[in-house]
Amino acid sequence: MTQPTTPTVLLVHGAFADAASWSGVIAELRSHGIPVIAPPNPLRGLASDAAYIASVAAQIDGPVVLVGHSYGGALITVAGTTENVVGLVYVAAYVLEEGESLGELQGRFPLSPLAENLQQWTYPVPGGEPAVEVTIAQDAFPSVFAADVPADVTEVLAVAQRPLAAAAFEETAAAVAWRTKPSWALVAGADRAINPEVQRFAAKRAGATVVELDGASHAVAVSEPKQVASLIRDAVRATR
């Protein structure tokens, strides 16, 4: 069986979102004949989530370009070491160094408004004490996460957001794929969830090809799907 020469794009959503946040990007990629898959991200911890994404990538025939939004960027950094992954695309994302956590990377720069607008919940852990997970307070969600998205859409996104296990902020990256594989990064210049300076610093450190959208919020995949898809297409062309 002949393997496909066009890489499959595997889209990894971040915290407080789900795979539907890629809908506009998926439509754009498919209109250009690019195969794409957007699996659910468990959002339970860096090591386990990265292992899940790596397992999905490994089961795809042919080359894969991993795309990570937000916390998903940390996951593709680790999962990208999978043999058939040929490129990495970071979208308003964390790009970790080996042995670094989200908290450590964020700690290099002033905190974004996200930090003071997180709401804590608990969830059961078999055989142990309840664990903590976080969401964005619904009244703060539009300004923090999606300031350039229509209000009727942000109201739905705020209600439907998926929580992230708080422990994920402290887990460290066991490996970094950007040392051996090409990377691209889109910096959201008006991001109030991840400080744009965090995005710029980490993308430069990784040697990524960087595009910046000055007025883009953290939900740039929702508000600017054509721009996000354009960068992904660059990665697909370069790794084909």
Side-chain angles (χ1 to χ4, degrees):
M1 180 179 176
T2 302
Q3 290 189 332
T5 55
T6 298
T8 296
V9 172
L10 197 164
L11 301 168
V12 184
H13 68 81
F16 322 124
D18 61 21
S21 61
W22 292 113
S23 295
V25 175
I26 292 169
E28 283 293 317
L29 294 175
R30 286 173 57 85
S31 74
H32 288 87
I34 297 172
V36 58
I37 182 172
N41 178 352
L43 301 177
R44 296 296 82 173
L46 178 55
S48 62
D49 293 344
Y52 174 72
I53 296 302
S55 75
V56 175
Q59 294 175 73
I60 295 172
D61 289 333
V64 172
V65 170
L66 287 181
V67 182
H69 173 247
S70 189
Y71 166 68
L75 303 187
I76 70 169
T77 295
V78 179
T81 58
T82 305
E83 185 176 358
N84 64 327
V85 173
V86 294
L88 311 166
V89 182
Y90 295 94
V91 179
Y94 293 107
V95 189
L96 297 180
E97 174 61 278
E98 187 171 355
E100 184 178 56
S101 69
L102 301 179
E104 288 169 339
L105 175 55
Q106 288 185 143
R108 295 170 179 265
F109 300 91
L111 291 176
S112 72
L114 173 70
E116 62 189 25
N117 286 290
L118 290 177
Q119 183 174 1
Q120 291 194 355
W121 308 79
T122 60
Y123 64 96
V125 177
E129 294 295 319
V132 176
E133 61 185 11
V134 293
T135 58
I136 302 173
Q138 285 192 26
D139 60 349
F141 187 93
S143 64
V144 170
F145 197 90
D148 58 349
V149 176
D152 59 335
V153 177
T154 62
E155 289 173 5
V156 174
L157 295 177
V159 170
Q161 61 181 301
R162 291 184 55 210
L164 173 68
F169 289 103
E170 304 305 322
E171 285 190 60
T172 59
V176 289
W178 51 257
R179 289 200 181 281
T180 57
K181 299 178 182 182
S183 60
W184 291 258
L186 187 150
V187 174
D191 199 328
R192 301 183 77 238
I194 301 177
N195 185 335
E197 288 300 320
V198 172
Q199 299 174 40
R200 294 185 191 104
F201 165 80
K204 181 179 180 181
R205 181 176 63 180
T209 299
V210 179
V211 170
E212 182 155 348
L213 296 182
D214 291 340
S217 75
H218 193 60
V220 61
V222 178
S223 62
E224 299 285 355
K226 290 181 183 293
Q227 299 275 18
V228 173
S230 177
L231 183 62
I232 297 170
R233 287 167 55 207
D234 288 347
V236 168
R237 281 192 292 266
T239 56
R240 178 174 291 160

